[in-house]
Amino acid sequence: MSLTTIAEAVGGRLADVIDSGVQVTEPAVFDSREAGPGSLFVALAGEHADGHAFAESAHNKGAVVALVNRPVGVPAIVVDDVLHAFGTLAHTLLTGPLAATRVVAITGSAGKTSTKDFVSQVLPGSVVATPQSFNNEIGLPLTVTMADTTTDHLVLEMGARHIGDIRDLTLVAPPDISIVTNVGTAHIGEFGGRDNIAEAKGEIVEALAPGGLAVLNADDDYVQPMRERAGGSVVTFGLGEDADVRATDLSTDAHGRTSFTLVTPEGSAPVQLQFVGGVQVHNSLAAAAVGRGAGLTPEEIAARLSRAVPRSRWRMETVTRADGVTVVNDAYNANPTSVRHALEALASMSGGAEQRSVAVLGRMNELGDDARAAHEEIGRHAAAQGLDMIVLVGGDEAGWMRDGVRDAGGRATWVPDQEAALGLLHPALRPGDVVLVKASRAVQLQRLVEELLKPAPPAGRLTGGSR
């Protein structure tokens, strides 16, 4: 698109532009370090930095133009509200050059990113999907600019912290297919209850145009009523016999990967997942329902699911050290639902003296008044898995989890920080051990994973003391 066309679309004016016919040919960026020839730099004002200060740097790296709210001395399109204009630009793309691209929108309290990874590898043709978890009012339009006229499907995560957030995202990118993975307790402190979470997640279904497809979790009592909010057709997925797309004959291997028989109205076929954790069955079934809607046979869907691999970092990312210790990095984020699933996956991956299980957990954020009860419940759930060692990292929240472990008759070690956790783990781990590391993003436990994956001192003895 030319600078003139973009300016007209977003209601902006050109500043410091010599040739208004110059075209933006590459995706947008909001980090000047990622700018390159042909890109559009979006100058966002954040809490710690103002993107306007980096517009010149982006220009020097080849960015054609900056989207700004004031002139910055380099070619720019000046608007009143940069973020709103960016969303308008994405909508313009989807209703214009990308009108033939089908939009698959995904939401849910947990499992959005893994479902996105499955869907993007099941769908035929050219697929562009949300990078990482760019699922808000910044990341969604950014993903739209990554598509081009050859893109058959655009797979978009849509996240929310308030009622109305998803509705706003669907106004930018109206979905042809909407998926709701589940309704849990993520961000419950922001929403004020699961009923409100369900109300917010259901906005993705209401946004469907006639002829659209809603893909709903048949095993979630909060998701099923959303079928009444769908303007198009509904397909359900789950483990129960009432689901349209379901899984039977489940079994889990020593690496925590599940195999099952995919059952659809058109037939059945065997699946062997490469993703870790039983929860991935539901995520893969959602993708199977989308593949079915795209006209794939059960055999084709099963083959694509079996080949699919995790594409997003720090989500049950499994690495085995040279000495045989396996580290499962699930430190991207955490909520009560995802932590329970991760603990169950850990238990399925270990067993016996030669393959011991170690859970390293940090706090879960945005739980509001439910924070203490939720952390205590996670402690009880961890104890119920029969794990060999539970290490709890941090302040009060870690102490609440420790209390829950004790209430359930288990033992846990509570340490103040990652350095103390590393000091405890390095001498304790031995070949065959499986270590899960999980916490909310702000805790940054992936740093502990990085240290754990470095060569370790001589192995010592695993202990399970408590503080």
Side-chain angles (χ1 to χ4, degrees):
M1 299 177 72
S2 71
L3 304 193
T4 298
T5 302
I6 295 173
E8 290 175 350
V10 301
R13 63 180 178 85
L14 300 177
D16 299 301
V17 171
I18 298 175
D19 182 1
S20 61
V22 171
Q23 292 191 330
V24 174
T25 58
E26 296 297 319
V29 298
F30 55 82
D31 184 335
S32 62
R33 295 168 295 185
E34 297 177 1
S39 63
L40 164 73
F41 175 65
V42 183
L44 297 174
E47 182 179 348
H48 302 293
D50 185 347
H52 292 75
F54 300 92
E56 183 177 0
S57 175
H59 174 72
N60 292 338
K61 289 180 177 292
V64 173
V65 70
L67 188 62
V68 299
N69 61 24
R70 61 180 183 273
V72 287
V74 298
I77 298 172
V78 182
V79 296
D80 292 333
D81 185 326
V82 172
L83 193 54
H84 181 267
F86 191 31
T88 300
L89 175 60
H91 183 76
T92 300
L93 289 170
L94 286 171
T95 55
L98 303 179
T101 300
R102 287 177 62 79
V103 174
V104 181
I106 304 170
T107 196
S109 295
K112 292 187 294 295
T113 300
S114 294
T115 301
K116 171 204 67 181
D117 286 351
F118 276 120
V119 170
S120 65
Q121 294 174 79
V122 165
L123 283 171
S126 173
V127 181
V128 170
T130 300
Q132 302 178 51
S133 284
F134 286 5
N135 58 24
N136 62 10
E137 67 277 14
I138 301 171
L140 184 136
L142 182 75
T143 306
V144 173
T145 71
M146 296 169 61
D148 60 34
T149 54
T150 68
T151 303
D152 297 300
H153 294 93
L154 184 61
V155 184
L156 301 173
E157 284 188 51
M158 294 188 177
R161 283 180 167 79
H162 308 92
I163 291 175
D165 286 352
I166 290 176
R167 183 179 298 112
D168 290 343
L169 295 177
T170 61
L171 291 175
V172 173
D176 298 294
I177 301 172
S178 293
I179 303 172
V180 183
T181 60
N182 49 59
V183 172
T185 53
H187 312 305
I188 196 168
E190 301 283 341
F191 281 106
R194 289 184 73 184
D195 288 335
N196 289 341
I197 295 174
E199 177 65 26
K201 300 301 184 184
E203 292 169 359
I204 205 170
V205 177
E206 292 178 343
L208 286 168
L213 175 66
V215 177
L216 304 178
N217 186 343
D219 298 332
D220 191 308
D221 292 339
Y222 283 86
V223 175
Q224 273 304 291
M226 294 179 192
R227 66 188 310 135
E228 304 301 325
R229 301 165 67 178
S233 58
V234 176
V235 173
T236 60
F237 64 92
L239 303 183
E241 292 187 0
D242 58 338
D244 299 314
V245 176
R246 59 195 179 95
T248 62
D249 309 318
L250 279 69
S251 64
T252 303
D253 67 15
H255 301 288
R257 300 172 303 194
T258 304
S259 62
F260 60 89
T261 299
L262 171 67
V263 180
T264 74
E266 294 74 33
S268 60
V271 175
Q272 171 62 68
L273 297 180
Q274 304 304 310
F275 287 62
V276 173
V279 68
Q280 302 298 352
V281 174
H282 276 84
N283 298 335
S284 67
L285 289 175
V290 174
R292 177 174 174 263
L296 298 178
T297 66
E299 292 78 12
E300 289 171 327
I301 295 169
R304 290 168 182 254
L305 287 177
S306 298
R307 290 195 300 267
V309 295
R311 288 180 170 174
S312 302
R313 296 194 63 192
W314 307 340
R315 294 169 179 83
M316 298 302 286
E317 184 178 334
T318 304
V319 178
T320 300
R321 300 188 328 197
D323 64 355
V325 172
T326 296
V327 180
V328 182
N329 184 354
D330 200 27
Y332 190 86
N333 219 334
N335 60 65
T337 300
S338 67
V339 177
R340 284 194 296 271
H341 289 157
L343 289 168
E344 291 161 8
L346 172 63
S348 72
M349 297 173 68
S350 56
E354 299 303 318
Q355 197 174 39
R356 301 172 304 170
S357 53
V358 181
V360 183
L361 305 176
R363 74 174 182 271
M364 302 175 290
N365 287 341
E366 298 180 348
L367 296 176
D369 293 340
D370 295 328
R372 180 165 193 148
H375 283 88
E376 289 176 349
E377 175 55 32
I378 286 300
R380 287 189 288 271
H381 193 71
Q385 304 309 306
L387 307 177
D388 293 287
M389 186 177 186
I390 302 171
V391 180
L392 308 169
V393 184
D396 290 343
E397 295 86 354
W400 297 337
M401 285 189 282
R402 187 274 315 271
D403 293 342
V405 172
R406 286 180 172 178
D407 289 345
R411 302 173 67 199
T413 302
W414 176 15
V415 296
D417 52 37
Q418 296 190 44
E419 183 177 358
L422 184 66
L424 175 70
L425 292 165
H426 257 333
L429 298 175
R430 69 189 189 200
D433 291 346
V434 182
V435 185
L436 167 72
V437 181
K438 188 164 182 64
S440 280
R441 174 75 167 167
V443 182
Q444 298 284 295
L445 275 191
Q446 75 275 3
R447 296 175 181 170
L448 175 61
V449 173
E450 292 170 0
E451 294 301 318
L452 284 174
L453 291 176
K454 294 178 180 178
R461 196 167 183 180
L462 187 70
T463 58
S466 60
R467 169 182 151 186

